[in-house]
Amino acid sequence: MKTVISLKDLETMVRTGQYPGKIPADAILTPSARDFLLERELEARGTRPITAASNGIISAPAKPLNSKSSKSEIEAFFNSPFCHDLKMQICEIGRRLWGRAYVDGNGGNIAIRVGEDIALCTPTLVSKGFMKPEDLCLVDFEGNQLLGAKKRTSEILMHLQIMKRQPKAQATVHCHPPYATGFAVAGVLPPTCMIPEFEVFASVAIAPYRTPGTPEMGQLVADLVDKHNVVLMANHGVVSWSHNNVEDAYFKMEILEAYCRTILVASQLGVPPKTMTAPQLQDLLKIKQSLGIPDPRYGLKECELCDNDEWRPGVSCALPPKDEAAGKDPEAEAAVQAITEQILNKLKG
Ligand SMILES: [Zn+2]
């Protein structure tokens, strides 16, 4: 039989020093008990969201779900304290996205992988700033809605295609932060080698424009998530994924947006922005690799690391010229040498 935990039980646990104890995954929490946990968490962290689940207060289901799990198993999961906590996390991240003006109207969407081929996601036609846990939806990896009173987001296919292609992706966030979206509209990748946080936590690529919500759009994004955790969607917005949790996926948005804003300011100061050196970037890439974050630059030559050609021609290689010469095609070099000699001989003759 399932344990029902009330506010009184939790208060007793606090009084007797048993809080925070382990609450069984299948325990039923009364609404006031849930609110209590939420408040305690907020107090303890001094920050949102409530991650009772990630703090180990509420344990994850012992058996991972998949789309073939029985209806009652899926329903039990959807109504469990563990899933409630994940729903609260999504609502909180939605509030942050809206609060920072990274979403507009009912734009933006968020998803968390909760089983082998199942994800929890945001509904369509709801402002991400004002979602309630009961608004959220459960879908299989084909986008079929399994549970939830509201209809799932129309852009869910892209999130699911990321999760299918990148097994490490635990959570995905899509939004339209204005500065980063500006780069996406211009089709310009933000330059590199300027700010450490951006180098360590984000690996950015651009996907071409397709109609939002189409499988084709999802495909083009998914093609990039092997080596990138942030994708600028041309003429649309940004999507990120994290191997940790939904807050981490959201952090990538803050880091990217702050970066795009900063370099726009830097580019208007009348002096060329200074960049870090290739060895300095190499140090950051080592940290990045140790954090398990992908980056297409692992293993590149130092000369190739701070190549910002696309951003501002001329800022490319921070290495002395001898290395540049080493990179040239020897056959072409020999041909140029031979022609030069012929011309010189003609002139002499
Ligand atoms: Zn969008």
Side-chain angles (χ1 to χ4, degrees):
M1 196 172 135
K2 286 181 185 169
T3 330
V4 177
I5 295 181
S6 67
L7 174 61
K8 236 183 183 172
D9 296 329
L10 291 173
E11 283 171 345
T12 312
M13 283 167 79
V14 172
R15 251 199 326 275
T16 56
Q18 290 171 305
Y19 181 89
K22 283 262 178 193
I23 296 171
D26 61 349
I28 297 165
L29 288 171
T30 63
S32 50
R34 272 182 194 169
D35 289 348
F36 176 88
L37 280 181
L38 167 67
E39 287 310 317
R40 295 288 297 194
E41 266 309 302
L42 291 179
E43 232 172 75
R45 306 185 117 231
T47 168
R48 288 163 174 264
I50 322 85
T51 48
S54 50
N55 281 355
I57 296 173
I58 304 172
S59 33
K63 195 176 137 208
L65 282 182
N66 63 49
S67 56
K68 305 274 178 304
S69 299
S70 71
K71 197 163 189 317
S72 62
E73 273 178 313
I74 292 176
E75 269 173 11
F77 170 79
F78 194 62
N79 298 315
S80 68
F82 181 79
C83 190
H84 181 77
D85 183 80
L86 297 178
K87 291 175 187 170
M88 295 291 280
Q89 291 183 31
I90 291 183
C91 294
E92 170 56 26
I93 294 306
R95 262 191 293 279
R96 292 194 207 177
L97 289 171
W98 186 85
R100 278 189 169 266
Y102 292 179
V103 289
D104 35 82
N106 50 47
N109 21 78
I110 306 166
I112 299 179
R113 184 198 294 264
V114 293
E116 280 165 35
D117 58 351
I118 290 188
L120 191 64
C121 72
T122 48
T124 189
L125 301 174
V126 171
S127 165
K128 299 303 147 326
F130 303 89
M131 293 182 295
K132 294 188 283 304
E134 51 270 32
D135 293 337
L136 299 186
C137 316
L138 200 67
V139 292
D140 68 19
F141 271 17
E142 300 311 311
N144 303 310
Q145 184 146 354
L146 302 173
L147 284 171
K150 295 222 157 95
K151 192 174 181 286
R152 51 83 168 159
T153 166
S154 62
E155 286 185 285
I156 189 61
L157 290 182
M158 175 177 73
H159 298 256
L160 300 171
Q161 277 168 289
I162 292 174
M163 288 179 188
K164 279 201 256 186
R165 192 70 75 83
Q166 177 48 271
K168 289 186 195 157
Q170 293 302 324
T172 45
V173 172
H174 162 61
C175 59
H176 313 143
Y179 289 87
T181 303
F183 277 82
V185 168
V188 174
L189 263 182
T192 54
C193 298
M194 293 190 190
I195 295 197
E197 277 71 17
F198 177 76
E199 298 300 342
V200 172
F201 295 109
S203 302
V204 186
I206 302 187
Y209 178 82
R210 291 293 185 280
T211 305
T214 56
E216 211 189 348
M217 180 71 253
Q219 195 63 40
L220 288 166
V221 168
D223 285 347
L224 297 165
V225 296
D226 177 30
K227 296 208 164 93
H228 303 90
N229 58 7
V230 179
V231 178
L232 296 180
M233 300 157 70
N235 302 89
H236 181 171
V238 190
V239 61
S240 66
W241 65 267
S242 163
H243 63 297
N244 291 322
N245 52 48
V246 68
E247 187 181 40
D248 187 51
Y250 163 77
F251 280 167
K252 312 224 176 299
M253 292 299 178
E254 282 195 0
I255 291 165
L256 171 71
E257 183 67 349
Y259 185 70
C260 289
R261 197 159 55 153
T262 305
I263 52 179
L264 267 184
V265 172
S267 69
Q268 289 165 31
L269 293 177
V271 289
K274 304 205 171 27
T275 53
M276 58 187 78
T277 63
Q280 286 168 338
L281 181 75
Q282 196 69 277
D283 271 355
L284 297 176
L285 289 179
K286 277 182 206 148
I287 300 172
K288 188 173 202 169
Q289 203 158 15
S290 75
L291 294 173
I293 299 172
D295 194 296
R297 296 170 296 180
Y298 296 146
L300 281 188
K301 286 191 231 120
E302 280 199 343
C303 173
E304 297 162 305
L305 283 179
C306 287
D307 189 342
N308 279 324
D309 270 356
E310 218 183 320
W311 171 246
R312 191 164 55 79
V315 181
S316 57
C317 199
L319 284 192
K322 65 180 169 64
D323 284 87
E324 267 177 42
K328 285 181 186 166
D329 176 0
E331 263 181 44
E333 286 295 294
V336 171
Q337 184 74 25
I339 293 166
T340 312
E341 270 166 29
Q342 276 177 24
I343 295 169
L344 283 174
N345 285 338
K346 250 191 188 166
L347 287 173
K348 277 183 203 159

